[in-house]
C-alpha cells in the first residue's frame, strides 16, 4: 500500500514574524527561506505582499526555492467591493507566488463582533475571493481562522464557511486553532467530523501553542485525517508560539506511527539539518538556544553523572529515544575529563586535526575551554574561534599582526551626532603603523581603522583586502554591575566563505576587539599567510 503524503507548510516568515521583538530584515528572510527550501518544506509562506514594503520586496525578489512553493498570505475581500477591485487581493494576484493562503472568518462571533457584517456577507467574501484566485490559476488555500472555537459554538456555520471555499475549488482548507486553547482530544474529534465533509487530503491544521499542545494537536489532526501541517521553526509565533516544525518533522519521519503510514518530502538525510536550521533562527534573532528544546536542544542528549552515563556508554539506547545524529544533534556527556576529552577529540577531527587522546595538549585545550566557558565563552556558534584556540595550543598558529595599543572614544557633536573614533598601533615585520578610523559605533570605528589603513599592513594587505564583517552581535551575559559582554562576529571574503568568531570581556570594546582579531587571524591562517618577522 502506498503511503499517504503529509505536506509541511512553514509560516516562520509570516506568522512567526508577528512575534513581539521579531523584526526580520530582507536578508534574514532570504537566509531563512533558503534554509527551509534546503530542508525541503512543501510550502513557504513568505509574508503578506502589499501589506508592507519589506514583504512586497521579498516577493518581488524572492530567492529560488527549488521544489518549495512560495506562498503569499492575505485576507478575504472586504465587504462592499468586488474581489477584482480589492487592492489587497490584487497585490497577492500580482505577486510571483504560485500559492495563496487567504485567512477568513469561520466563527460567527467574529463575523458579528470583529467584522460587524452579516453571516451571509462573510460567506460571500470567502466565495468571491476563492473564485478570483482559482480563476487565475493560483493554488488556493483557505485558512479558516478560529475554526475550532467557531465549530464548538456553531458547527453548522463553521462548516458552511469552509465548504464554501472548498466548493469553489480550494486545494486546502486549513483548520486554525487561532487562540490555541483547544486540546488534543477535541482536535481529534472535530477533525474526524470535518473529514466526513471535506476529504482529509484537502485538510490542514494550523495550531497555536497556548496550552503547550500545538505539536500534539498537529499530530492528532494528522491521525484524524488532515494532511497538511502549518508551523514555524522553533515554534516562533505570537504569544506562546505556533506548532514547532523542528519537533514535528522528526516525529513524522522517525517515529513508527507516522513513518509506517505516511511520507513527507523531507527525507532522513534532510532531517539531519534540523539542528542547524533551529540554531540559524536563534542566531538571526540573537537569542540563546533553548537548551531543552526537543530533538535539537544542546541538552536534548546530555547525560550527567553516575548510572545514566555508564549505561549510555554501554548502549546509548538506554537513555536516548533516538540517535542524536539523526537530527544533526550531538550527545553531550557532562561527567569527567575523560568524556570531555572525547568530545574535544571528535571536534578536532571535524577540522582535520589528528591527535592522540593521551597527548597532554588535549588536556590543556580541555582546561582552557572549561575556563573560558566559565567566564562566558560559548564555542557552539563560533567554530573559527574554537579552531584557532585549538591550533594555537597545538602551536600551529604563528603570530601575525601585533597590536601594541588601541584607543577608542565616543563623542557627541553639537548637532547631536554620535561619532566613535578608533586608533590602533600595529606592527608588521617590525614596522609600526598607526591606524585611525571613525564609525557609527566603536566596533565599526575599529573595523574602519584597520580597513582604511589596509595598505600599511605590509605583507598582510593582500590577504585582508577582501575581508568583510557581515554581522555583529552583542549579548550581555549577566545583569548587574558585573555584566560580561559576549560579542560574535560573522565575517566573509571573496571566496564566499563565512566564519564566526567571538570575544568575551567585561568591556564591550575589548570583547569586540578580541572577536575582530580572531576574525583577521582566521583569515590569515586559512589563506596560509606567512608569520610576522
Ligand atoms: Zn496563526
Amino acid at each position: 500500500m502506498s503511503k499517504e503524503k503529509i505536506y509541511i507548510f512553514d509560516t516562520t516568515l509570516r506568522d512567526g514574524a508577528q512575534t513581539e521583538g521579531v523584526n526580520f530584515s530582507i536578508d534574514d528572510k532570504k537566509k531563512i527561506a533558503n534554509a527551509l527550501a534546503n530542508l525541503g518544506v512543501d510550502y513557504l509562506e513568505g509574508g503578506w505582499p502589499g501589506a508592507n514594503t519589506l514583504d512586497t520586496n521579498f516577493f518581488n525578489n524572492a530567492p529560488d526555492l527549488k521544489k518549495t512553493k512560495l506562498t503569499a498570505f492575505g485576507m478575504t475581500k472586504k465587504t462592499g467591493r468586488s474581489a477584482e477591485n480589492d487592492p489587497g487581493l490584487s497585490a497577492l494576484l500580482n505577486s510571483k507566488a504560485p500559492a495563496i493562503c487567504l485567512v477568513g472568518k469561520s466563527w460567527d462571533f467574529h463575523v458579528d463582533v470583529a467584522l460587524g457584517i452579516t453571516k451571509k456577507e462573510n460567506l460571500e467574501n470567502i466565495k468571491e475571493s476563492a473564485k478570483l484566485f482559482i480563476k487565475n490559476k493560483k493554488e488556493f488555500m483557505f485558512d479558516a481562522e478560529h475554526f475550532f472555537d467557531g465549530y464548538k459554538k456553531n458547527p453548522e456555520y463553521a462548516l458552511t464557511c469552509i465548504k464554501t471555499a472548498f466548493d469553489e475549488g480550494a486545494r486546502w482548507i486549513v483548520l486554525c486553532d487561532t487562540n490555541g486553547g483547544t486540546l488534543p482530544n477535541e482536535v481529534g474529534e472535530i477533525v474526524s467530523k470535518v473529514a466526513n465533509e471535506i476529504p482529509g487530503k484537502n485538510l490542514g491544521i494550523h495550531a497555536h501553542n497556548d496550552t503547550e499542545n500545538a505539536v500534539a494537536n498537529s499530530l492528532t489532526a494528522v491521525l484524524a485525517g488532515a494532511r497538511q501541517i502549518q508551523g514555524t521553526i522553533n515554534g516562533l509565533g505570537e504569544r506562546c508560539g505556533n506548532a514547532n516544525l523542528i519537533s514535528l518533522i522528526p516525529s513524522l519521519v522517525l517515529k513508527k506511527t507516522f513513518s509506517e503510514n505516511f511520507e513527507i518530502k523531507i527525507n532522513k538525510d534532510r532531517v539531519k539539518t534540523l539542528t542547524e536550521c533551529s540554531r540559524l533562527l536563534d542566531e538571526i534573532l540573537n537569542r540563546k538556544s533553548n537548551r531543552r528544546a526537543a530533538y535539537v536542544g544542546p541538552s536534548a542528549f546530555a547525560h550527567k553523572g553516575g548510572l545514566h552515563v555508564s549505561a549510555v556508554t554501554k548502549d546509548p539506547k538506554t537513555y536516548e529515544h533516538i540517535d542524536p545524529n539523526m537530527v544533526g544533534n550531538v550527545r553531550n556527556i557532562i561527567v569527567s575529563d575523560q568524556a570531555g576529552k572525547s568530545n574535544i577529540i571528535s571536534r578536532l577531527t571535524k577540522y582535520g586535526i589528528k591527535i592522540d587522546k593521551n597527548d597532554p595538549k588535549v588536556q590543556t585545550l580541555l582546561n582552557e575551554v572549561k575556563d573560558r566557558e566559565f567566564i562566558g565563552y560559548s564555542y557552539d556558534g563560533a567554530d573559527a574561534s574554537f579552531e584557532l584556540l585549538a591550533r594555537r595550543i597545538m602551536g600551529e598558529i604563528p603570530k601575525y599582526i601585533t597590536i601594541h595599543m588601541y584607543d577608542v572614544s565616543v563623542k557627541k557633536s553639537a548637532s547631536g551626532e554620535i561619532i566613535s573614533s578608533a586608533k590602533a598601533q600595529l606592527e608588521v615585520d617590525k614596522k609600526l603603523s598607526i591606524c585611525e578610523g571613525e564609525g557609527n559605533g566603536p566596533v565599526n570605528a575599529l573595523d574602519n581603522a584597520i580597513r582604511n589603513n589596509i595598505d600599511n599592513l605590509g605583507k598582510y594587505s593582500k590577504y585582508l583586502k577582501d575581508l568583510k564583517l557581515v554581522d555583529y552581535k552583542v549579548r550581555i551575559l549577566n545583569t548587574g554591575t558585573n555584566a560580561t559582554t559576549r560579542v560574535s562576529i560573522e565575517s566573509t571574503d571573496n571566496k564566499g566563505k563565512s566564519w564566526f568568531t567571538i570575544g568575551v570581556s567585561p568591556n564591550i570594546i575589548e570583547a569586540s576587539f578580541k572577536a575582530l582579531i580572531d576574525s583577521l587571524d582566521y583569515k590569515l591562517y586559512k589563506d596560509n599567510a606567512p608569520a610576522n618577522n
Side-chain angles (χ1 to χ4, degrees):
M1 206 182 81
S2 75
K3 293 177 186 174
E4 283 191 67
K5 190 172 173 199
I6 297 172
Y7 293 78
I8 302 293
F9 181 109
D10 181 276
T11 178
T12 306
L13 300 182
R14 200 277 300 170
D15 223 355
Q18 286 173 357
T19 313
E20 55 183 323
V22 171
N23 270 311
F24 292 133
S25 68
I26 193 105
D27 275 352
D28 294 341
K29 281 197 153 211
K30 284 184 181 165
K31 265 189 202 169
I32 296 169
N34 284 327
L36 286 162
N38 181 43
L39 176 66
V41 299
D42 296 280
Y43 298 95
L44 180 132
E45 195 169 49
W48 190 337
N52 58 67
T53 347
L54 182 88
D55 283 5
T56 308
N57 280 343
F58 177 76
F59 277 88
N60 287 342
N61 307 292
D64 175 18
L65 299 177
K66 292 166 245 167
K67 288 180 179 153
T68 296
K69 263 189 206 161
L70 179 64
T71 310
F73 175 83
M75 201 189 271
T76 49
K77 80 165 187 72
K78 294 221 162 52
T79 308
R81 64 166 50 143
S82 71
E84 276 80 7
N85 286 324
D86 189 304
L89 298 194
S90 308
L92 298 182
L93 258 190
N94 297 333
S95 79
K96 289 177 190 145
I100 304 292
C101 186
L102 222 57
V103 68
K105 301 291 183 195
S106 57
W107 185 3
D108 58 356
F109 168 65
H110 262 264
V111 176
D112 300 342
V113 175
L115 294 182
I117 58 174
T118 67
K119 293 184 189 61
K120 211 176 136 219
E121 282 170 326
N122 181 50
L123 294 175
E124 189 67 16
N125 292 347
I126 297 172
K127 186 183 161 88
E128 292 307 316
S129 308
K131 195 183 262 173
L132 176 74
F133 290 107
I134 291 157
K135 193 174 77 190
N136 284 285
K137 308 265 179 304
K138 297 275 190 187
E139 180 172 339
F140 181 74
M141 310 180 203
F142 178 62
D143 241 14
E145 200 189 15
H146 298 290
F147 180 80
F148 292 92
D149 294 317
Y151 188 91
K152 286 181 222 169
K153 295 282 171 14
N154 185 347
E156 202 189 323
Y157 186 71
L159 279 174
T160 311
C161 290
I162 58 174
K163 275 203 247 166
T164 301
F166 186 64
D167 290 345
E168 283 304 319
R171 164 68 183 91
W172 291 106
I173 299 297
V174 183
L175 309 177
C176 302
D177 186 26
T178 311
N179 293 359
T182 309
L183 296 175
N185 63 313
E186 299 171 302
V187 167
E189 210 176 289
I190 294 173
V191 174
S192 306
K193 283 185 183 152
V194 174
N196 291 329
E197 311 277 337
I198 291 172
K201 67 175 193 321
N202 300 104
L203 289 178
I205 176 81
H206 177 111
H208 276 267
N209 204 28
D210 300 70
T211 68
E212 191 84 39
N213 278 301
V215 166
N217 282 343
S218 306
L219 294 175
T220 307
V222 168
L223 295 175
R227 294 293 175 262
Q228 188 206 90
I229 300 178
Q230 300 201 339
T232 59
I233 305 175
N234 297 343
L236 187 72
E238 57 189 325
R239 305 189 312 275
C240 313
N242 283 59
N244 184 357
L245 290 180
I246 300 290
S247 315
L248 274 161
I249 292 167
S251 291
L252 294 169
V253 179
L254 305 173
K255 300 294 178 182
K256 272 189 178 172
T257 309
F258 294 95
S259 66
E260 285 182 350
N261 298 300
F262 304 101
E263 61 179 356
I264 67 172
K265 201 166 80 193
I266 303 166
N267 61 24
K268 283 191 175 166
D269 258 2
R270 299 282 87 203
V271 169
K272 287 187 185 148
T273 66
L274 278 172
T275 300
E276 201 184 307
C277 194
S278 163
R279 308 259 165 102
L280 170 80
L281 185 72
D282 292 330
E283 210 36 63
I284 287 176
L285 295 173
N286 195 20
R287 283 183 183 173
K288 209 167 172 249
S289 299
N290 173 7
R291 289 205 68 85
R292 272 174 293 279
Y295 292 104
V296 298
S299 296
F301 302 94
H303 308 282
K304 189 175 180 187
L307 281 174
H308 286 208
V309 168
S310 88
V312 165
T313 25
K314 283 179 194 142
D315 185 341
K317 285 201 280 293
T318 49
Y319 285 97
E320 288 176 357
H321 70 119
I322 60 155
D323 175 350
N325 284 319
M326 295 174 114
V327 289
N329 204 347
V330 285
R331 179 171 305 124
N332 185 8
I333 294 182
I334 315 154
V335 55
S336 62
D337 281 2
Q338 205 50 44
K341 269 188 189 175
S342 46
N343 283 348
I344 293 266
I345 302 268
S346 76
R347 206 156 173 188
L348 293 177
T349 318
K350 213 171 105 185
Y351 307 120
I353 303 173
K354 283 199 189 93
I355 189 162
D356 187 88
K357 71 174 190 308
N358 297 318
D359 188 316
K361 284 183 187 135
V362 176
Q363 188 62 50
T364 313
L365 177 59
L366 180 63
N367 294 344
E368 189 65 30
V369 169
K370 280 185 172 174
D371 288 350
R372 284 170 174 247
E373 285 183 344
F374 183 74
I375 60 164
Y377 276 84
S378 164
Y379 287 103
D380 282 347
D383 266 355
S385 281
F386 182 82
E387 188 180 341
L388 280 175
L389 177 70
R391 292 194 189 273
R392 280 185 188 125
I393 287 172
M394 311 288 160
E396 291 175 15
I397 305 281
K399 187 82 203 151
Y400 297 118
I401 302 166
T402 310
I403 286 113
H404 287 291
M405 59 72 82
Y406 67 83
D407 178 9
V408 177
S409 63
V410 182
K411 61 174 183 274
K412 187 171 176 176
S413 71
S415 64
E417 202 187 351
I418 294 178
I419 304 158
S420 296
S421 321
K423 190 157 105 179
Q425 190 187 47
L426 312 180
E427 187 195 317
V428 174
D429 293 345
K430 304 196 173 64
K431 211 180 133 229
L432 289 176
S433 61
I434 295 279
C435 297
E436 284 180 86
E438 284 190 342
N440 56 12
V443 180
N444 187 224
L446 274 171
D447 183 36
N448 284 337
I450 295 175
R451 197 161 309 284
N452 296 343
N453 296 280
I454 207 99
D455 292 329
N456 298 331
L457 298 178
K459 64 188 180 195
Y460 295 128
S461 304
K462 63 173 181 181
Y463 296 96
L464 299 176
K465 268 198 171 122
D466 65 334
L467 181 142
K468 270 199 303 283
L469 299 194
V470 287
D471 208 355
Y472 165 82
K473 272 168 188 157
V474 177
R475 186 169 292 151
I476 307 297
L477 296 171
N478 40 8
T479 51
T481 44
N482 291 325
T484 291
T485 310
R486 178 159 77 211
V487 171
S488 334
I489 291 180
E490 181 184 356
S491 315
T492 188
D493 63 12
N494 281 350
K495 294 182 200 103
K497 281 188 295 186
S498 71
W499 59 94
F500 295 86
T501 53
I502 55 170
V504 171
S505 165
N507 184 296
I508 182 172
I509 295 177
E510 172 75 2
S512 310
F513 202 68
K514 284 177 174 170
L516 192 61
I517 293 304
D518 261 12
S519 169
L520 301 181
D521 280 0
Y522 187 77
K523 166 80 173 147
L524 292 170
Y525 175 74
K526 284 288 155 182
D527 287 352
N528 298 312
N532 203 345
N533 291 319

